[in-house]
Amino acid sequence: MVLEEKNAVDNYNYNQFVPARYFIPDTKPAITFQHKEDEFIDFGVQSFLPGLLSTQGPHMAKADVNGDGLEDIFVGGASGQAGALFVQDKKGEFRNTAQPAFLKDSLPEDIDAVFFDADEDGDNDLFVVSGGNAFKEGSPELQCRLYLNDGKGNFTLKPNAVPNVFVNASCVKPADIDGDGDIDVFIGGRVIPGKYPETPRSYLLLNDGKGNFTDKTANLAPGLQNAGMVTDAIWVDLNNDKQKDLIVVGEWMPIKVFINEKGKLIDKTNTYFSSPANGWWNRIYADDFDKDGDLDFIVGNRGLNTQIKVSSQHPCTMLYKDFDNNGSIDGIMCYYIQGKSYPALSRDEMVEQLPILKKKFNDYASYSTAIIDDLFSANELSTAKKLIADNMATCYIENKGNGKFELKELPVQAQFSPVYAITSLDVNKDGNPDLLLAGNFEKTRVSIGKFDANHGMLFLGDGKGNFKYVPQTESGFSVKGDVRDIQIIKVKGKTSVLFSISDKTVVSYSLQ
């Protein structure tokens, strides 16, 4: 087709109408906090990783910490950076309070945090879990931390609140598990440092009512101990028996459902799902999106905007063992291209870690057609462990109300980039919950490429479980970077949305 300017004879009238926006960026951010990621490169420990495991923060937590009726915000710090507590005043301004206990614990990487009354004295205490990938297994920097509140918003570390629990964690989720009136916690294990993708421990910790926690996982939830590489979890009462049940999501694992039966958590995943949905799940969030009286769920995944295409017939796989017997776990990812599953790693990447393959594939041409069975013998592969991922889509889980879940893909825009942050809010005042998604993941392998196409997305809900994408020009969002959390707070009667971003400043938008 040939286009020549001389043939363009009609005039074009540019419509300069700018649609009303649901959100506008705050000229003065609600809080001023810049996350400063430390310069740790995970590939130096395990060169076969799909992406960095040390950029999982920051997460936020909100609560009224000083009893003035206003919401305050905690933001976790990176390794070498203390977390910060911002207390709101009656003018709607936030003050970064000096917390010596946080400064003393600045070396660990804060991954998740939550406020709840751990010692039953009527105020909100703070529970923080650590992670990243820079600290070795069993390091004191990976110990869980409980900070007690004096009722005025001043926090002190409670020593040995969680003895002998050192975990590279992803999340901490509180609930009264055993029905004794105090708040217990589930802690999700993200990874064993230096041993990805081996399964880490996760923990169910019972509270004695005074803020002393004991590991009761083996007794009350043996299926949770090695559930997988957990990234998030949520407590909900699924069967209306007044007991909190647990849904767990993670990387290379199905969405798992544990039903609380008199304080013991029983794996009922196969009851709720007709078939397992193995994904690279990042986050789970609950709301009644179809307004039928029960809670539905949104689960953030890697998304479909990637060369790794998967299905139940053609899953992405991860074979792992110490292939070269050097004491380090080698995880080799494979995915299908035109009906055949090929290693995701290039020849150069493979032989750098496993030099023994250099003689077997002495040129790029021979390696280009190699499948995993060509790389290793049947005997070598027989002792390797295998993980699969057959669903990369960010999804809506409809709770059918009869002990059954139905998984549905969200609109294509939700699949542009990995989703790590989810919340809901009725932005157009039609009585239906609308959906806010954010995420991205820039610290991946060069061959995989950056995921940065989510600038903060708004989807309007119709109250029936359907969602319609709102263009950025109308939503007003333009959030750049790896968003790891969203919090909605009230500031002088207005609704603000906070986005915490890895290695960047927290940004905030106000609902119009």
Side-chain angles (χ1 to χ4, degrees):
M1 180 178 289
V2 178
L3 303 179
E4 295 186 2
E5 187 176 357
K6 65 182 181 181
N7 296 327
V9 295
D10 293 332
N11 292 323
Y12 177 69
N13 295 317
Y14 176 64
N15 186 352
Q16 298 189 40
F17 170 74
V18 177
R21 296 178 179 177
Y22 287 102
F23 294 89
I24 61 170
D26 292 330
T27 53
K28 182 180 180 182
I31 64 175
T32 53
F33 179 85
Q34 181 172 357
H35 185 255
K36 297 179 180 179
E37 194 64 73
D38 58 308
E39 294 295 327
F40 181 79
I41 306 299
D42 305 51
F43 298 129
V45 179
Q46 285 185 280
S47 62
F48 285 177
L49 291 174
L52 299 192
L53 296 166
S54 55
T55 59
Q56 303 304 305
H59 281 201
M60 298 178 284
K62 69 176 181 180
D64 176 10
V65 300
N66 55 3
D68 63 357
L70 302 174
E71 292 178 327
D72 310 305
I73 293 287
F74 172 81
V75 188
S79 179
Q81 178 187 26
L85 176 64
F86 294 86
V87 174
Q88 185 179 177
D89 61 24
K90 293 181 179 180
K91 297 179 180 179
E93 297 180 350
F94 288 80
R95 176 175 55 89
N96 187 350
T97 61
Q99 300 285 341
F102 299 168
L103 292 171
K104 188 176 180 180
D105 292 332
S106 61
L107 185 56
E109 176 113 357
D110 299 336
I111 294 299
D112 197 19
V114 64
F115 287 106
F116 64 93
D117 188 2
D119 54 1
E120 298 191 284
D121 64 351
D123 55 36
N124 286 301
D125 307 305
L126 181 66
F127 200 111
V128 182
V129 293
S130 307
N133 205 28
F135 303 106
K136 294 182 179 180
E137 189 175 359
S139 295
E141 291 82 6
L142 297 178
Q143 189 167 26
C144 310
R145 289 165 280 146
L146 175 64
Y147 298 96
L148 296 181
N149 188 352
D150 67 355
K152 300 177 182 179
N154 302 304
F155 289 82
T156 55
L157 178 69
K158 179 178 173 60
N160 299 316
V162 190
N164 302 317
V165 176
F166 304 91
V167 55
N168 188 327
S170 60
C171 62
V172 51
K173 302 296 177 180
D176 182 5
I177 301 164
D178 52 3
D180 63 353
D182 56 38
I183 303 300
D184 315 298
V185 296
F186 166 74
I187 298 174
R190 178 66 180 88
V191 70
I192 302 175
K195 296 183 180 180
Y196 177 95
E198 285 193 346
T199 303
R201 276 285 316 270
S202 290
Y203 293 87
L204 197 64
L205 305 179
L206 293 193
N207 189 355
D208 67 353
K210 299 178 182 179
N212 300 304
F213 292 85
T214 307
D215 178 14
K216 294 293 183 180
T217 322
N219 306 88
L220 303 181
L224 266 181
Q225 283 194 106
N226 301 107
M229 290 187 287
V230 174
T231 54
D232 199 16
I234 192 168
W235 291 101
V236 289
D237 182 4
L238 290 173
N239 51 8
N240 297 315
D241 63 352
K242 309 301 181 183
Q243 297 182 99
K244 292 291 186 180
D245 310 303
L246 185 67
I247 304 177
V248 177
V249 300
E251 187 176 336
W252 297 103
M253 61 178 283
I255 303 166
K256 293 190 174 184
V257 180
F258 293 88
I259 297 300
N260 191 339
E261 297 183 358
K262 298 180 179 180
K264 292 190 175 183
L265 296 180
I266 311 300
D267 190 341
K268 296 287 186 178
T269 302
N270 294 336
T271 300
Y272 280 81
F273 288 97
S274 58
S275 59
N278 295 281
W280 290 356
W281 308 107
N282 302 314
R283 202 71 185 263
I284 183 166
Y285 178 84
D287 201 342
D288 185 5
F289 290 104
D290 56 6
K291 301 178 72 173
D292 63 353
D294 55 36
L295 289 174
D296 312 295
F297 306 93
I298 303 294
V299 277
N301 208 344
R302 175 55 61 102
L304 304 178
N305 188 17
T306 168
Q307 68 265 45
I308 303 173
K309 307 300 181 186
V310 301
S311 66
S312 57
Q313 294 79 25
H314 293 157
C316 182
T317 59
M318 173 69 77
L319 291 166
Y320 64 100
K321 63 177 281 188
D322 184 3
F323 282 101
D324 55 359
N325 298 312
N326 68 347
S328 177
I329 297 297
D330 306 304
I332 301 176
M333 186 171 71
C334 303
Y335 62 92
Y336 278 81
I337 301 172
Q338 296 183 349
K340 280 189 176 183
S341 181
Y342 296 96
L345 299 163
S346 71
R347 176 186 175 277
D348 290 344
E349 292 170 324
M350 191 73 78
V351 300
E352 182 180 3
Q353 180 67 24
L354 303 174
I356 193 173
L357 296 175
K358 193 170 185 178
K359 293 181 179 179
K360 186 177 288 189
F361 302 99
N362 55 16
D363 57 31
Y364 296 108
S366 59
Y367 184 83
S368 67
T369 58
I371 60 175
I372 194 70
D373 293 336
D374 298 324
L375 271 62
F376 304 102
S377 68
N379 184 52
E380 288 174 311
L381 292 173
S382 65
T383 55
K385 297 179 181 179
K386 183 179 180 179
L387 299 171
I388 69 167
D390 54 18
N391 189 328
M392 294 290 187
T394 292
C395 293
Y396 163 63
I397 301 177
E398 182 183 353
N399 187 345
K400 307 297 285 188
N402 55 358
K404 300 292 181 183
F405 289 161
E406 184 177 349
L407 202 65
K408 302 176 181 179
E409 287 186 15
L410 285 177
V412 65
Q413 293 86 357
Q415 316 302 340
F416 285 171
S417 206
V419 170
Y420 285 88
I422 308 169
T423 193
S424 61
L425 179 69
D426 183 9
V427 302
N428 57 357
K429 303 298 185 290
D430 64 351
N432 302 320
D434 305 308
L435 186 61
L436 280 70
L437 303 179
N440 299 327
F441 187 25
E442 297 186 6
K443 302 298 176 65
T444 63
R445 303 191 71 85
V446 172
S447 57
I448 293 176
K450 294 181 178 181
F451 298 93
D452 58 3
N454 187 322
H455 296 169
M457 292 184 175
L458 171 63
F459 296 82
L460 298 182
D462 66 354
K464 300 177 182 178
N466 303 306
F467 301 92
K468 182 181 179 182
Y469 170 69
V470 178
Q472 307 295 138
T473 52
E474 296 179 31
S475 71
F477 288 134
S478 181
V479 184
K480 307 293 179 65
D482 289 358
V483 178
R484 292 293 173 260
D485 201 6
I486 302 176
Q487 287 287 349
I488 297 174
I489 60 171
K490 293 291 186 181
V491 182
K492 294 191 69 176
K494 287 189 175 183
T495 300
S496 286
V497 181
L498 273 59
F499 298 84
S500 60
I501 309 170
S502 177
D503 208 30
K504 289 191 176 182
T505 303
V506 174
V507 298
S508 58
Y509 285 75
S510 291
L511 177 65
Q512 299 305 291

